[in-house]
Amino acid sequence: MSDYQILQKERTVLDYDTVALDDRNHALVIIDQTKLPNQIEMLSLTRQEDIREAIYLLKVRGAPAIGVAAAIGVYLAARQIAASCQDYDSFYKAYHEAGNYLNEARPTAVNLSWAIRRMEQIVLQRKNEPVNRIVLALHDEAIAIRDEDIRVCEAIGRNGLALVKPGDGLLTHCNAGQLATVRYGTATAPMYLGHKSGYHFRIFCDETRPLLQGARLTSFELSSAGMDVTVLCDNMVSAAMREGKIQAVFVGCDRVAANGDTANKIGTSMVALAARRYGVPFYVCAPTSTIDMSIETGDGIKIEQRKPEEVTTMWYKEPMVPRTGVKVFNPAFDVTDADLITGIVTEYGVVHAPYKAAFRDIFSRKEGGQI
Ligand code: MRU
């Protein structure tokens, strides 16, 4: 049995990386997020089918976390393929198919395809090396992607914290927390850092229908860390803002288009509209891995549609909506227009409109090795 399989009762999810590579058992280790907060169960996955299903079913979820899970997943696939195939061309063909297979699990979060593409570059660049060496390089790249995610979230935390003051009421939607990354989260990184520095924030978590990531996950991880947390039903955001409870909104993102339009969990755009009405700053926390310069505007972002049962029955024993004669609209994400966003908090600083120029500047400085 893997060391990760059973969590000691006294430990919380925060004591573990959300996504990890177990080198001893050659397995992807995740916390099964569909069971939270009632049960903390670690899953140790080795088969590609199980990894893809875990991503589709949101056992591992959140854009950066599924990127890291996919990187580890394709490394494990490479290892398995190399066990019976040392010829580069056949190895590459099977590896490429494994990458496509995982990539199909969820369409909106760009980190999934970003991580798979980045891993594939390693295979392409090492065409003339023995397959076993390529597999070792893939291992190191998956670890590098994981470690980068931790550093990026820390930097987003520092940059986001500079935008708020002690005692502020901060609202977040869905879970862009530790459970959506390896550690710290994106939207929650300023909250964790502020909490450590005695900011005494009042945190407000939207419950986030239909899968309740805010109520089940964000409120769980932030209250476990000792923060002052209030859960809101999604339809209470405007009331909380009108009463002056919220001084800033921090949300995560699944894909940011070149013009700053941002896809995030369904309901995010409603929060942004309310924030604009009440003059509350609305910040999107975005690792640069989530910025997709190949898509001009939010209209080009593919929005994942999920099963009607998530709306009609999920989390309840009995159907909450009649089974027959009623249709269900269940997009998993929506797009918040760039003009509703006060600023986008990246690991390289906070950027403002016009976003395309600001992103280009970041990417060109990154390529030039200046940042
Ligand atoms: O469907 P989910 O739970 O994967 O959606 C997650 C979100 O929308 C997050 O806000 C986003 O992935 C950013 S996570 C840092």
Side-chain angles (χ1 to χ4, degrees):
M1 185 182 292
S2 143
D3 293 345
Y4 291 99
Q5 265 168 324
I6 309 250
L7 262 178
Q8 300 300 317
K9 273 216 173 67
E10 64 272 16
R11 306 188 82 172
T12 77
V13 287
L14 300 176
D15 296 320
Y16 289 82
D17 289 350
T18 303
V19 186
L21 171 61
D22 175 357
D23 270 322
R24 192 142 51 96
N25 297 294
H26 309 294
L28 166 70
V29 178
I30 57 169
I31 299 165
D32 183 348
Q33 300 195 31
T34 61
K35 304 248 170 80
L36 290 174
N38 299 323
Q39 204 179 323
I40 298 176
E41 187 180 316
M42 306 304 282
L43 299 176
S44 179
L45 309 175
T46 52
R47 293 171 358 117
Q48 294 300 299
E49 297 87 320
D50 295 338
I51 295 173
R52 179 175 142 141
E53 189 189 68
I55 295 173
Y56 176 71
L57 293 179
L58 275 63
K59 292 180 180 187
V60 57
R61 48 148 298 284
I66 59 180
V68 177
I72 294 174
V74 287
Y75 154 65
L76 295 174
R79 226 186 141 268
Q80 287 153 11
I81 297 162
S84 59
C85 162
Q86 286 296 311
D87 161 62
Y88 178 87
D89 288 335
S90 323
F91 169 80
Y92 174 69
K93 187 169 175 289
Y95 176 84
H96 181 73
E97 278 165 14
N100 283 347
Y101 178 71
L102 280 190
N103 195 25
E104 282 161 8
R106 296 192 76 190
T108 304
V110 70
N111 303 59
L112 183 60
S113 55
W114 169 86
I116 289 170
R117 258 201 328 273
R118 180 166 153 178
M119 293 291 282
E120 188 158 324
Q121 280 308 310
I122 298 291
V123 180
L124 293 169
Q125 283 158 10
R126 290 169 184 260
K127 194 175 176 9
N128 298 321
E129 294 184 21
V131 163
N132 283 342
R133 288 254 296 272
I134 298 176
V135 173
L136 289 178
L138 284 169
H139 172 277
D140 293 350
E141 192 68 4
I143 298 301
I145 289 175
R146 179 202 66 187
D147 292 348
E148 248 174 64
D149 183 67
I150 297 170
R151 287 197 302 275
V152 163
C153 290
E154 281 177 322
I156 287 176
R158 287 192 295 276
N159 296 335
L161 189 63
L163 300 167
V164 290
K165 49 183 198 329
D168 275 354
L170 307 180
L171 178 108
T172 189
H173 188 75
C174 189
N175 175 269
Q178 155 130 350
L179 288 165
T181 61
V182 180
R183 282 183 220 161
Y184 312 118
T186 57
T188 57
M191 300 172 188
Y192 280 116
L193 192 59
H195 180 64
K196 223 167 90 186
S197 318
Y199 271 57
H200 300 291
F201 292 131
R202 288 166 297 106
I203 309 295
F204 294 84
C205 303
D206 295 346
E207 68 174 351
T208 317
R209 279 278 292 157
L211 298 185
L212 305 178
Q213 288 93 331
R216 292 188 303 113
L217 307 177
T218 312
S219 73
F220 174 59
E221 60 164 269
L222 298 183
S223 59
S224 302
M227 291 185 219
D228 172 337
V229 177
T230 304
V231 174
L232 303 177
C233 296
D234 298 322
N235 51 5
M236 297 168 187
V237 168
S238 171
M241 286 184 180
R242 190 181 172 93
E243 285 187 24
K245 292 184 190 296
I246 316 290
Q247 279 63 58
V249 178
F250 285 104
V251 294
C253 52
D254 287 84
R255 196 182 291 250
V256 181
N259 74 340
D261 288 353
T262 293
N264 190 48
K265 179 51 55 191
I266 191 72
T268 303
S269 64
M270 272 181 9
V271 177
L273 285 162
R276 172 58 51 91
R277 174 68 180 87
Y278 294 110
V280 175
F282 181 93
Y283 298 109
V284 170
C285 295
T288 47
S289 56
T290 314
I291 300 170
D292 185 353
M293 295 298 277
S294 74
I295 291 189
E296 281 297 318
T297 73
D299 292 342
I301 300 177
K302 181 164 185 203
I303 300 292
E304 177 183 5
Q305 303 290 325
R306 293 187 61 91
K307 290 187 177 156
E309 289 75 18
E310 290 183 352
V311 173
T312 55
T313 59
M314 194 85 165
W315 313 120
Y316 300 95
K317 287 199 178 72
E318 299 298 328
M320 298 298 288
V321 174
R323 281 181 203 273
T324 52
V326 174
K327 288 179 274 186
V328 169
F329 178 53
N330 187 20
F333 302 96
D334 63 18
V335 172
T336 299
D337 295 325
D339 66 346
L340 293 173
I341 298 170
T342 311
I344 298 187
V345 186
T346 75
E347 66 270 35
Y348 298 113
V350 184
V351 297
H352 300 278
Y355 290 107
K356 192 167 181 176
F359 295 155
R360 274 210 182 115
D361 180 50
I362 286 182
F363 283 119
S364 65
R365 284 193 291 140
K366 214 172 149 180
E367 270 162 32
Q370 292 165 37
I371 50 178

